Coordinates of all heavy atoms in Angstrom, one line a residue:
Q280 N 43.0 106.3 140.6 CA 42.7 104.9 140.0 C 41.4 105.1 139.3 O 40.4 105.3 139.9 CB 42.6 103.9 141.1 CG 43.9 103.5 141.8 CD 44.9 102.9 140.8 OE1 44.5 102.2 139.9 NE2 46.2 103.2 141.0
V281 N 41.4 105.0 138.0 CA 40.2 105.4 137.2 C 39.5 104.1 136.7 O 40.2 103.2 136.1 CB 40.6 106.3 136.0 CG1 39.3 106.5 135.1 CG2 41.1 107.6 136.5
T282 N 38.2 104.0 136.9 CA 37.4 102.9 136.2 C 36.6 103.6 135.1 O 35.7 104.5 135.4 CB 36.5 102.2 137.2 OG1 37.4 101.6 138.2 CG2 35.7 101.1 136.6
L283 N 36.9 103.3 133.9 CA 36.3 104.0 132.7 C 35.2 103.1 132.1 O 35.6 102.1 131.6 CB 37.4 104.4 131.7 CG 36.9 105.0 130.4 CD1 36.2 106.4 130.7 CD2 38.2 105.3 129.5
V284 N 34.0 103.5 132.2 CA 32.9 102.7 131.6 C 32.5 103.3 130.3 O 32.0 104.5 130.3 CB 31.7 102.7 132.6 CG1 30.6 101.7 132.0 CG2 32.1 102.2 134.0
A285 N 32.9 102.6 129.2 CA 32.8 103.3 127.9 C 31.8 102.6 127.1 O 31.7 101.4 126.9 CB 34.2 103.2 127.2
G286 N 30.9 103.4 126.4 CA 30.0 103.0 125.4 C 30.8 102.7 124.1 O 32.0 102.8 124.2
P287 N 30.1 102.4 123.0 CA 30.8 102.0 121.8 C 31.6 103.2 121.2 O 30.9 104.2 120.7 CB 29.7 101.6 120.8 CG 28.5 101.4 121.7 CD 28.7 102.3 122.9
V288 N 32.9 103.2 121.3 CA 33.7 104.4 120.8 C 34.9 103.8 120.1 O 35.3 102.6 120.3 CB 34.2 105.3 121.9 CG1 33.1 106.0 122.6 CG2 35.0 104.5 123.0
Q289 N 35.6 104.7 119.3 CA 36.8 104.2 118.5 C 38.1 104.7 119.2 O 39.0 105.0 118.6 CB 36.7 104.9 117.1 CG 35.5 104.7 116.3 CD 35.4 103.2 116.0 OE1 36.4 102.6 115.6 NE2 34.2 102.6 116.1
L290 N 38.1 104.8 120.5 CA 39.2 105.3 121.3 C 40.0 104.2 122.0 O 39.4 103.2 122.4 CB 38.8 106.4 122.2 CG 38.0 107.6 121.6 CD1 37.4 108.5 122.7 CD2 38.9 108.4 120.7
T291 N 41.2 104.5 122.3 CA 42.0 103.5 123.1 C 42.5 104.2 124.3 O 42.6 105.4 124.4 CB 43.3 103.0 122.3 OG1 44.0 104.2 121.8 CG2 42.9 102.2 121.1
T292 N 42.9 103.4 125.3 CA 43.4 103.9 126.6 C 44.7 103.2 126.8 O 44.9 102.0 126.5 CB 42.5 103.6 127.8 OG1 41.9 102.3 127.5 CG2 41.4 104.6 127.9
S293 N 45.7 103.9 127.4 CA 47.0 103.3 127.6 C 47.5 103.4 129.0 O 48.3 102.6 129.4 CB 48.0 104.0 126.6 OG 48.0 105.4 126.9
H294 N 47.0 104.4 129.8 CA 47.6 104.6 131.1 C 47.3 103.4 132.0 O 46.1 103.0 132.1 CB 47.0 105.9 131.7 CG 47.9 106.4 132.8 ND1 47.9 105.8 134.1 CD2 48.7 107.5 132.9 CE1 48.8 106.5 134.8 NE2 49.2 107.5 134.1
P295 N 48.3 102.9 132.8 CA 48.1 101.7 133.6 C 47.1 102.0 134.8 O 46.5 101.0 135.3 CB 49.5 101.4 134.2 CG 50.3 102.7 134.0 CD 49.7 103.3 132.8
N296 N 46.8 103.2 135.1 CA 45.9 103.5 136.2 C 44.4 103.4 135.7 O 43.5 103.7 136.5 CB 46.1 104.9 136.8 CG 47.3 105.0 137.7 OD1 48.0 104.0 137.8 ND2 47.5 106.1 138.3
I297 N 44.2 103.2 134.4 CA 42.8 103.2 133.9 C 42.4 101.7 133.7 O 43.0 101.0 132.9 CB 42.7 104.0 132.6 CG1 43.1 105.4 132.8 CG2 41.2 103.9 132.1 CD1 43.1 106.2 131.5
T298 N 41.3 101.4 134.3 CA 40.6 100.1 134.1 C 39.4 100.4 133.2 O 38.5 101.1 133.6 CB 40.2 99.4 135.4 OG1 41.3 99.3 136.3 CG2 39.6 98.0 135.2
R299 N 39.4 99.8 132.1 CA 38.3 100.1 131.1 C 37.2 99.0 131.1 O 37.6 97.8 131.0 CB 38.9 100.3 129.8 CG 37.9 100.5 128.7 CD 38.6 101.0 127.4 NE 37.6 101.0 126.3 CZ 37.9 101.5 125.1 NH1 39.2 101.9 124.9 NH2 37.0 101.5 124.2
I300 N 36.0 99.3 131.2 CA 34.9 98.3 131.1 C 34.0 98.8 129.9 O 33.4 99.9 130.0 CB 34.1 98.3 132.4 CG1 34.9 97.9 133.6 CG2 32.9 97.2 132.2 CD1 34.2 98.0 134.9
D301 N 34.0 98.0 128.8 CA 33.2 98.4 127.7 C 31.7 97.9 127.8 O 31.5 96.7 128.2 CB 33.8 97.8 126.4 CG 35.1 98.5 126.0 OD1 35.1 99.8 126.0 OD2 36.1 97.9 125.6
V302 N 30.8 98.7 127.5 CA 29.4 98.4 127.5 C 28.7 98.9 126.2 O 29.3 99.6 125.5 CB 28.6 99.0 128.7 CG1 29.2 98.5 130.0 CG2 28.7 100.5 128.7
T303 N 27.5 98.4 125.9 CA 26.8 98.8 124.7 C 25.6 99.7 125.1 O 25.5 100.8 124.7 CB 26.4 97.6 123.9 OG1 27.6 96.8 123.6 CG2 25.8 98.1 122.6
S304 N 24.7 99.1 125.9 CA 23.4 99.8 126.2 C 23.4 100.6 127.5 O 24.3 100.4 128.3 CB 22.3 98.8 126.2 OG 22.5 98.0 127.4
A305 N 22.4 101.5 127.6 CA 22.3 102.3 128.9 C 22.1 101.3 130.1 O 22.7 101.6 131.1 CB 21.1 103.2 128.7
Q306 N 21.3 100.3 129.9 CA 21.1 99.4 131.0 C 22.4 98.7 131.5 O 22.6 98.6 132.7 CB 20.0 98.3 130.6 CG 19.5 97.5 131.8 CD 18.9 98.3 132.9 OE1 17.9 99.0 132.7 NE2 19.4 98.2 134.1
E307 N 23.2 98.3 130.5 CA 24.5 97.7 130.8 C 25.4 98.7 131.6 O 26.0 98.4 132.6 CB 25.2 97.2 129.6 CG 24.7 95.9 129.0 CD 25.3 95.7 127.6 OE1 26.4 96.2 127.3 OE2 24.7 95.0 126.8
M308 N 25.4 99.9 131.0 CA 26.2 101.0 131.7 C 25.7 101.2 133.1 O 26.5 101.3 134.1 CB 26.1 102.3 130.9 CG 27.1 103.4 131.3 SD 27.1 104.8 130.3 CE 28.3 104.4 129.0
C309 N 24.4 101.2 133.3 CA 23.8 101.5 134.6 C 24.2 100.4 135.6 O 24.6 100.6 136.7 CB 22.3 101.6 134.5 SG 21.5 102.1 136.0
D310 N 24.1 99.1 135.1 CA 24.4 97.9 136.0 C 25.9 98.0 136.4 O 26.1 97.8 137.6 CB 24.2 96.6 135.2 CG 22.7 96.4 134.9 OD1 21.8 97.1 135.5 OD2 22.4 95.5 134.0
V311 N 26.8 98.3 135.5 CA 28.2 98.4 135.9 C 28.4 99.6 136.9 O 29.1 99.4 137.9 CB 29.1 98.6 134.6 CG1 30.5 98.9 135.0 CG2 29.0 97.4 133.7
C312 N 27.8 100.7 136.6 CA 28.0 101.9 137.5 C 27.4 101.6 138.9 O 28.1 102.0 139.9 CB 27.3 103.1 136.9 SG 28.2 103.7 135.5
L313 N 26.3 101.0 139.0 CA 25.7 100.7 140.3 C 26.6 99.8 141.1 O 26.7 99.9 142.3 CB 24.3 100.2 140.2 CG 23.2 101.1 139.7 CD1 21.9 100.4 139.6 CD2 23.1 102.4 140.5
K314 N 27.2 98.9 140.4 CA 28.1 97.9 141.1 C 29.4 98.6 141.5 O 29.9 98.3 142.6 CB 28.4 96.8 140.1 CG 29.1 95.6 140.8 CD 29.1 94.4 139.9 CE 30.0 93.4 140.5 NZ 30.8 92.6 139.5
Q315 N 29.9 99.5 140.7 CA 31.2 100.1 141.0 C 31.2 101.3 141.9 O 32.1 101.5 142.7 CB 31.9 100.6 139.6 CG 32.2 99.5 138.6 CD 33.4 98.6 139.1 OE1 34.3 99.1 139.8 NE2 33.4 97.4 138.7
F316 N 30.1 102.0 141.9 CA 30.1 103.3 142.6 C 30.3 103.2 144.1 O 31.1 104.0 144.7 CB 28.7 104.0 142.4 CG 28.7 105.4 142.9 CD1 29.6 106.4 142.5 CD2 27.7 105.9 143.8 CE1 29.6 107.7 142.9 CE2 27.7 107.2 144.2 CZ 28.6 108.1 143.8
P317 N 29.8 102.1 144.8 CA 30.1 102.1 146.3 C 31.6 102.0 146.6 O 32.0 102.3 147.7 CB 29.3 100.8 146.7 CG 28.3 100.6 145.7 CD 28.9 101.1 144.4
K318 N 32.4 101.5 145.7 CA 33.8 101.3 145.9 C 34.6 102.6 145.6 O 35.8 102.6 145.7 CB 34.4 100.2 145.0 CG 33.8 98.8 145.2 CD 34.4 97.8 144.2 CE 33.4 97.1 143.4 NZ 34.0 96.4 142.2
M319 N 33.9 103.6 145.1 CA 34.6 104.8 144.5 C 34.6 106.0 145.5 O 33.7 106.1 146.3 CB 33.9 105.2 143.2 CG 33.9 104.1 142.1 SD 35.6 104.0 141.4 CE 35.5 102.2 141.0
D320 N 35.5 106.9 145.2 CA 35.5 108.2 146.0 C 34.6 109.2 145.2 O 34.2 110.2 145.8 CB 36.9 108.8 146.1 CG 37.8 107.9 146.9 OD1 37.4 107.7 148.1 OD2 38.8 107.4 146.4

Side-chain angles (χ1 to χ4, degrees):
Q280 291 297 328
V281 176
T282 300
L283 176 62
V284 187
V288 293
Q289 302 296 319
L290 301 172
T291 53
T292 36
S293 56
H294 201 289
N296 284 8
I297 303 175
T298 304
R299 176 170 172 175
I300 303 173
D301 287 317
V302 296
T303 305
S304 67
Q306 188 62 58
E307 282 168 26
M308 187 176 273
C309 187
D310 293 345
V311 172
C312 288
L313 291 181
K314 191 167 167 218
Q315 295 291 329
F316 191 56
K318 301 180 234 169
M319 301 286 150
D320 295 301

